[in-house]
Amino acid sequence: MRLVGRSLLVGLWFMFLTLPLLAVRVNTITETVEWRWLNLVWVGLGTFILSLALALWRQRSESQPQRDDGEGDITPRWRERLFHDQTVYRPLLIMALLATLLLPWLVDIYQINILVLALIFVVLGLGLNIIVGLAGLLDLGYIAFFAVGAYTYALLNINLDLGFWAALPLGGLAGAFFGLLIGFPVLRLRGDYLAIVTLGFGSIVKIVIENEDELFYGAMGIADIPRPGLLGLDLSLDQSTLYTYYLVVALALLAIFVTNRLKDSRLGRAWIALREDEIAAVAMGIDMAKCKLSAYAFGAFWAGLVGVLFAARNTFIHPNSFTFAESALVLSMVVLGGMGSIVGVTLAALILVLLPEYLQGLAEYRMLVFGGVMVAMMVFRPHGLISPSRRRYTRPQAQGEEG
Amino acid sequence: MLELRNVSTFYGPIQALKGISLSVATGEIVTLIGANGAGKSTTLLSISGVAPPKRGEILFEGSPIHTLPAEKIVSLGVAQVPEGRRIFPQMSVRENLEMGAYLRRDNAGVARDVEKVCELFPVLAQRRQQLGGTLSGGEQQMLAIGRALMARPRLLLLDEPSLGLAPLVIRQIFATLQQLNREEGMTIFLIEQNAHQALKIAHRGYVIENGVLTLSDKAQTLLDHPDVRRAYLGG
């Protein structure tokens, strides 16, 4: 009975919360206000039922005896298997890869275009994951490095007539250089202060581009950026999109592979140690300055790299593509995915880009649902979709059979 | 092995150390005792390179280290157990130990030393896979000491290992330090507020007050010294 009461309250609370969005509609033409009470009833009823079901489910799982595997942290079995049992995750990975490769033949060109954008954000998410997820340096202006990459390609193309492939590594390096540039002054900053400086840096880059007409073509943006070339072949628009798709798939795979290797490297462990406790990390003999700078450089490198691809895909870039909202979006990917988790960040990036696209059927409510999903995620999985999987060690004698 | 000559360290305009001179010989346990804010931790941070001195010299095995960055000093064989333990909470006990050996490249040797530390602190062996943050205070302190040992130091610096621990655990940890000193010949520089325990295991001791050394003698003598008894031992 108590549960029903609480669920009722939850339902009422949600009705109140969504009142301005769902119930009130201002008709700007006739200048009247429409009240759609029926919507509100549905919200109330829906959240009531959901909340009740959740409460009952919780009650049931609490009344069951807890399984103790004697390890301190109790993780669901299926997850354990999913990430640590090769016979389970190998086929899954191969299937996912096959699906990615075959997808363009199954869906139309519009979908491929969205997927390209989603994969660009996957690479961005993985790059920021190095800075925020592994090294623990909060960065609110990450998209600036993306802008640096995009503008590097655009400007090199206009001024020096450089092609996509020549600009790709240069864009990455330019990103890394700007990473170092922001890295130096913030070496001694932490937490809130670091967040503010990076926020400022992100804004500065955008504002400089916007206001410098001579060099960066300012608020006009840069148009007619060539698409990625394939051995000088003349590609149609569709073919080019397809080609871009495979390029970005390759880039995302490379990013996944490299960041995964980095995570388990000496440098990666130093980053994690730095994130966990800076003073202790220094006491262990970790060179803090080198470590932080390399995190910025590595993270920004990916943003610069994929920025070139972004410019080539869009053929038009404008400072408004690189606002704080984009930085926040990439940061949400890292947080939603689970700090430091590569699988998590990849999934979160796909979800965060694809969800709003495919929710377009919901028209005006799409951002509401989007926000709802984000809130729900943080409530039910505060450590992200996939909390960073911990490497498990088994004692040598425990795996005696395999040898 | 370690020598401080007239070391003065500043935090901005505030002078925390006012010309400290002390020495630690090989195979010794030397303790530095003093009240809150006397400059104990600053002395340690000056040695380890985290808060480099503005004036004076610090020599380790005859060569100056006060101009070197912190990581270089660790690589010379000076490991520290920082104040408040500061273990890595999201890493397992084993990963914490391995971080202590960050500068070493001999994986087999590191694995052997993990076992050695686990022998020294058997409770860590049981908790090997457990996350550092879930250990009790005493276990965390043992882990912090073990982690410092993983660097195979010749000089071990400890900053208040007794902080916030139960008397029984403190005795246990100090006994282990003494054992390390006797059996492995580990040179230990121990900073403590718990003067009684520290002086009981140390060979020599220094007393610091307001950034200046006021007393320096054999540990036993300091234990009986009226000033020390009044100020730190409660009568």
Side-chain angles (χ1 to χ4, degrees):
Chain A
M1 207 52 228
R2 222 187 73 238
L3 291 179
V4 177
R6 266 188 56 184
S7 302
L8 212 59
L9 263 175
V10 170
L12 281 175
W13 173 241
F14 265 79
M15 283 168 78
F16 172 70
L17 269 183
T18 50
L19 179 89
L21 264 159
L22 287 177
V24 186
R25 174 185 267 170
V26 180
N27 194 324
T28 45
I29 300 167
T30 58
E31 289 190 9
T32 50
V33 177
E34 263 179 77
W35 293 89
R36 295 171 301 169
W37 297 111
L38 199 61
N39 271 342
L40 219 55
V41 173
W42 285 121
V43 167
L45 210 61
T47 43
F48 170 70
I49 292 171
L50 266 178
S51 153
L52 194 63
L54 199 76
L56 286 175
W57 177 73
R58 269 201 185 150
Q59 205 177 35
R60 227 189 56 187
S61 61
E62 264 169 31
S63 63
Q64 274 171 359
Q66 286 258 333
R67 201 182 48 212
D68 189 9
D69 52 11
E71 277 242 329
D73 56 345
I74 300 155
T75 38
R77 284 269 163 83
W78 63 269
R79 236 201 71 194
E80 191 77 350
R81 287 200 56 190
L82 194 60
F83 289 107
H84 300 283
D85 190 346
Q86 286 204 343
T87 54
V88 176
Y89 75 73
R90 279 251 171 94
L92 268 178
L93 272 182
I94 292 170
M95 264 161 59
L97 186 65
L98 275 179
T100 341
L101 290 180
L102 290 177
L103 211 56
W105 311 100
L106 303 172
V107 297
D108 62 32
I109 208 78
Y110 171 71
Q111 312 283 350
I112 298 174
N113 245 320
I114 296 172
L115 279 171
V116 170
L117 189 69
L119 285 165
I120 284 175
F121 273 93
V122 166
V123 179
L124 279 175
L126 289 169
L128 187 62
N129 188 38
I130 295 177
I131 302 176
V132 179
L134 292 181
L137 306 161
L138 188 53
D139 189 340
L140 294 180
Y142 183 66
I143 213 71
F145 305 131
F146 189 52
V148 167
Y151 272 89
T152 303
Y153 174 41
L155 294 174
L156 282 177
N157 185 264
I158 291 176
N159 297 325
L160 300 172
D161 209 23
L162 236 54
F164 171 79
W165 286 105
L168 190 64
L170 291 177
L173 290 179
F177 173 73
F178 272 78
L180 291 178
L181 213 62
I182 179 77
F184 270 112
V186 301
L187 271 180
R188 293 186 158 273
L189 297 183
R190 248 179 275 178
D192 309 355
Y193 307 101
L194 180 63
I196 291 167
V197 174
T198 53
L199 182 68
F201 174 74
S203 316
I204 289 169
V205 168
K206 181 189 174 252
I207 291 169
V208 166
I209 293 175
E210 210 163 29
N211 290 297
E212 178 53 58
D213 291 337
E214 304 269 303
L215 215 61
F216 303 128
Y217 300 87
M220 293 185 311
I222 301 176
D224 292 327
I225 302 165
R227 294 170 186 282
L230 176 65
L231 307 167
L233 288 176
D234 226 1
L235 297 172
S236 72
L237 189 61
D238 283 8
Q239 283 170 328
S240 178
T241 306
L242 200 61
Y243 177 53
T244 314
Y245 173 76
Y246 282 116
L247 270 183
V248 72
V249 166
L251 206 61
L253 285 178
L254 185 71
I256 290 173
F257 177 74
V258 173
T259 47
N260 194 32
R261 294 306 298 254
L262 264 176
K263 195 176 84 174
D264 288 334
S265 71
R266 259 172 76 79
L267 188 59
R269 293 201 309 147
W271 285 335
I272 294 169
L274 211 60
R275 179 189 72 192
E276 298 263 300
D277 193 317
E278 212 170 287
I279 294 174
V282 173
M284 298 303 99
I286 291 168
D287 185 341
M288 187 188 76
K290 215 168 78 185
C291 209
K292 282 190 175 176
L293 287 176
S294 60
Y296 275 111
F298 273 108
F301 173 79
W302 289 107
L305 206 63
V306 82
V308 175
L309 194 88
F310 178 75
R313 167 205 181 250
N314 281 16
T315 68
F316 171 68
I317 53 172
H318 187 274
N320 275 352
S321 303
F322 311 105
T323 60
F324 172 67
E326 274 73 31
S327 286
L329 183 66
V330 182
L331 189 66
S332 333
M333 290 166 185
V334 178
V335 176
L336 278 185
M339 296 269 205
S341 160
I342 287 168
V343 185
V345 172
T346 309
L347 282 178
L350 288 174
I351 292 171
L352 285 188
V353 178
L354 297 181
L355 200 64
E357 290 293 339
Y358 291 121
L359 281 178
Q360 268 171 1
L362 296 172
E364 66 214 83
Y365 306 128
R366 122 190 130 105
M367 286 328 268
L368 185 68
V369 173
F370 183 70
V373 170
M374 289 253 255
V375 171
M377 272 290 310
M378 285 294 98
V379 171
F380 295 112
R381 294 209 64 103
H383 295 293
L385 276 176
I386 294 164
S387 47
S389 77
R390 310 210 47 76
R391 270 190 303 161
R392 302 223 161 246
Y393 299 93
T394 41
R395 290 206 177 173
Q397 53 263 43
Q399 32 177 240
E401 284 177 9
E402 286 171 29
Chain B
M1 173 171 265
L2 179 76
E3 198 180 347
L4 274 69
R5 286 184 193 155
N6 231 344
V7 168
S8 295
T9 304
F10 292 75
Y11 292 120
I14 299 154
Q15 185 170 12
L17 295 184
K18 299 163 185 160
I20 298 276
S21 297
L22 58 80
S23 67
V24 181
T26 307
E28 249 187 335
I29 300 183
V30 174
T31 184
L32 177 66
I33 55 178
N36 277 332
K40 300 190 302 291
S41 293
T42 309
T43 309
L44 188 132
L45 294 178
S46 296
I47 299 170
S48 62
V50 177
K54 198 168 179 182
R55 287 195 292 270
E57 285 188 304
I58 300 174
L59 305 174
F60 179 65
E61 296 182 326
S63 47
I65 57 167
H66 54 275
T67 50
L68 298 176
E71 67 274 3
K72 194 83 196 136
I73 295 172
V74 178
S75 73
L76 287 175
V78 182
Q80 63 163 321
V81 180
E83 183 177 7
R85 309 184 271 274
R86 293 197 171 273
I87 52 147
F88 301 113
Q90 294 294 319
M91 292 190 189
S92 69
V93 165
R94 178 163 179 163
E95 284 168 317
N96 262 284
L97 290 176
E98 284 172 348
M99 278 317 300
Y102 179 74
L103 291 173
R104 288 170 59 183
R105 302 271 182 177
D106 56 327
N107 292 338
V110 170
R112 263 200 309 279
D113 283 359
V114 169
E115 297 307 316
K116 254 176 79 178
V117 169
C118 286
E119 273 170 40
L120 200 63
F121 298 109
V123 66
L124 293 183
Q126 295 163 22
R127 308 230 184 279
R128 215 179 289 223
Q129 312 293 338
Q130 205 168 311
L131 294 189
T134 65
L135 299 181
S136 76
E139 288 162 356
Q140 289 192 9
Q141 188 62 61
M142 294 177 197
L143 179 56
I145 296 172
R147 187 180 60 182
L149 290 175
M150 290 299 296
R152 282 214 178 149
R154 275 168 295 167
L155 173 64
L156 186 62
L157 309 173
L158 296 111
D159 194 351
E160 290 209 39
S162 74
L163 195 73
L165 299 183
L168 188 68
V169 182
I170 297 177
R171 269 204 292 279
Q172 205 181 333
I173 285 173
F174 277 42
T176 311
L177 291 177
Q178 205 165 19
Q179 180 193 345
L180 266 173
N181 174 258
R182 279 199 192 129
E183 290 170 14
E184 317 255 330
M186 179 71 70
T187 313
I188 294 172
F189 185 53
L190 173 66
I191 280 159
E192 258 303 339
Q193 247 191 86
N194 191 332
H196 185 67
Q197 292 286 343
L199 287 171
K200 257 172 47 182
I201 66 160
H203 299 110
R204 289 190 301 117
Y206 294 91
V207 178
I208 187 169
E209 275 170 38
N210 293 323
V212 183
L213 290 182
T214 50
L215 284 171
S216 144
D217 215 324
K218 286 213 173 64
Q220 191 55 49
T221 324
L222 282 179
L223 262 177
D224 300 330
H225 196 285
D227 285 356
V228 176
R229 289 193 77 93
R230 197 174 49 247
Y232 304 106
L233 304 175

